[in-house]
Amino acid sequence: MMTESARSALLNALGEHVAFDAPMTRQTSLRIGGPADALATPTSRPELAAVLAACQAHGLRHTVVGAGFNCLVADEGIDGVVISLKKFRGLEERPGPSIYAEAGISHSAITRFCLDRAFSGMEFAAGIPGTVGGWIMMNAGIGVRELKDVTLEIGIVTPGEPAEKRIPRERLDFHYRELRGLPAGAVVVSARFAVEASSRDAIKGEVDRLLARRSATQPLDVPSCGSVFRNPEGDFAGRLIEAAGLRGLRVGGAEISRVHANFIANVGGASAADVLAVIERAQAGVREDCGVELKTEVHLLGRTP
Ligand SMILES: Cc1cc2nc3c(=O)[nH]c(=O)nc-3n(C[C@H](O)[C@H](O)[C@H](O)COP(=O)(O)OP(=O)(O)OC[C@H]3O[C@@H](n4cnc5c(N)ncnc54)[C@H](O)[C@@H]3O)c2cc1C
């Protein structure tokens, strides 16, 4: 529950760029989730700093979302303030060559930008849906290449320190599908990526090849959050789920995809509870079948029932 003074502080900081009791179904690719107490969409660093200051002053928790392609939001919603950086849309060429992108820039905008300028290096990420902020926090990638391989530096803003701080790649602690060690409550506002001059045809050919492979192997026509489980060392979560005979397992509107067993699709009206039930049944089934403990890649956000 948000107090009147907290609401006023957020309205003072953001005016029309804050909404209260905001449905999270529109902020996540699974199209699931109860309301956030407040959804803040700052348009600048001073506005972002003001939101963080209001949260600190009123004891409100803040949660950042990118495009929500890797999030499962609880049916009960999210306490405090959800911050979306979708209005952070700077995208520029920098020396190196390199590209500077603000946190709200989407995967497709980066791909278009690189194609227009014939910059190679980011092709691997063309089909990884999301924003620069989510990419960095997830160290998103495919088998051969991850964000850590192209990131030169990131910019963050932290509660209590409104000026953007730059962190060079040497000090970024990337791991499989995570970036560790940022200060508590840090918000990624920008990143710079290394690219190199190449041939537009070669870049387009690689992007098209990777997108075609995705279309052939992933259920892209239904709401999902991509891979639900992290791949265990030396194996694939999807292979283990399939081997345990769980493909097609359904609870309510949530179903283990028949196209790719590491995806859970919202096939119609799924709740977060449905998805969580499928996750637990997949973990139990794989544990029983081969003794492997599957860990979730999807981030669970929000109130626990
Ligand atoms: C069809 C499909 C295919 C996918 N394929 C892949 C794949 O091949 N490889 C892969 O790695 N992933 C894949 N994913 C997962 C997803 O695309 C990535 O995890 C992506 O990085 C999510 O970006 P996002 O902006 O949507 O982040 P979100 O899902 O919004 O957020 C992810 C996490 O980052 C945090 N966060 C987001 N932005 C910020 C910020 N600015 N500052 C601080 N914290 C922040 C959030 O709180 C959350 O914990 C796939 C998903 C789908 C739906």
Side-chain angles (χ1 to χ4, degrees), residues 14-31:
L14 282 174
E16 61 183 337
H17 303 302
V18 63
F20 298 97
D21 295 317
M24 290 300 294
T25 43
R26 296 188 204 139
Q27 308 297 326
T28 67
S29 56
L30 268 167
R31 304 280 172 256

Side-chain angles (χ1 to χ4, degrees), residues 79-110:
D79 284 324
V81 181
V82 170
I83 299 175
S84 162
L85 295 192
K86 68 179 173 201
K87 300 232 163 82
F88 279 56
R89 314 232 8 116
L91 180 57
E92 292 165 20
E93 189 176 329
R94 291 278 169 92
S98 62
I99 55 180
Y100 166 85
E102 288 192 322
I105 290 290
S106 71
H107 64 289
S108 47
I110 297 264

Side-chain angles (χ1 to χ4, degrees), residues 146-190:
E146 298 173 316
L147 259 290
K148 75 168 171 40
D149 300 317
V150 290
T151 303
L152 296 171
E153 62 177 3
I154 67 169
I156 61 166
V157 169
T158 47
E161 279 186 57
E164 180 172 345
K165 188 172 155 199
R166 306 217 149 262
I167 310 182
R169 73 192 301 168
E170 311 76 64
R171 293 192 18 238
L172 292 171
D173 191 15
F174 282 115
H175 293 261
Y176 171 60
R177 297 299 167 264
E178 61 179 317
L179 170 60
R180 295 184 192 153
L182 291 188
V187 180
V188 175
V189 291
S190 68

Side-chain angles (χ1 to χ4, degrees), residues 186-273:
V187 180
V188 175
V189 291
S190 68
R192 199 160 59 82
F193 303 120
V195 287
E196 58 186 41
S198 179
S199 116
R200 190 169 291 118
D201 285 349
I203 298 165
K204 185 164 183 333
E206 180 63 357
V207 166
D208 288 349
R209 183 185 74 79
L210 290 170
L211 292 182
R213 195 175 73 181
R214 271 180 198 271
S215 297
T217 56
Q218 297 182 354
L220 301 180
D221 55 340
V222 279
S224 81
C225 57
S227 292
V228 171
F229 298 103
R230 298 156 70 99
N231 286 323
E233 189 78 40
D235 212 331
F236 295 96
R239 191 196 73 73
L240 297 174
I241 293 167
E242 200 177 328
L246 297 166
R247 203 184 264 251
L249 173 85
R250 182 164 174 175
V251 176
E255 183 178 279
I256 294 182
S257 168
R258 291 168 198 279
V259 180
H260 189 313
N262 198 11
F263 279 51
I264 295 177
N266 178 355
V267 292
S271 62

Side-chain angles (χ1 to χ4, degrees), residues 64 66-71 129 131 134 137-138 140-141 177 188 214 226 299:
V64 189
F69 278 102
N70 197 61
C71 293
T131 59
M137 291 308 289
M138 296 306 300
R177 297 299 167 264
V188 175
R214 271 180 198 271
H299 285 195

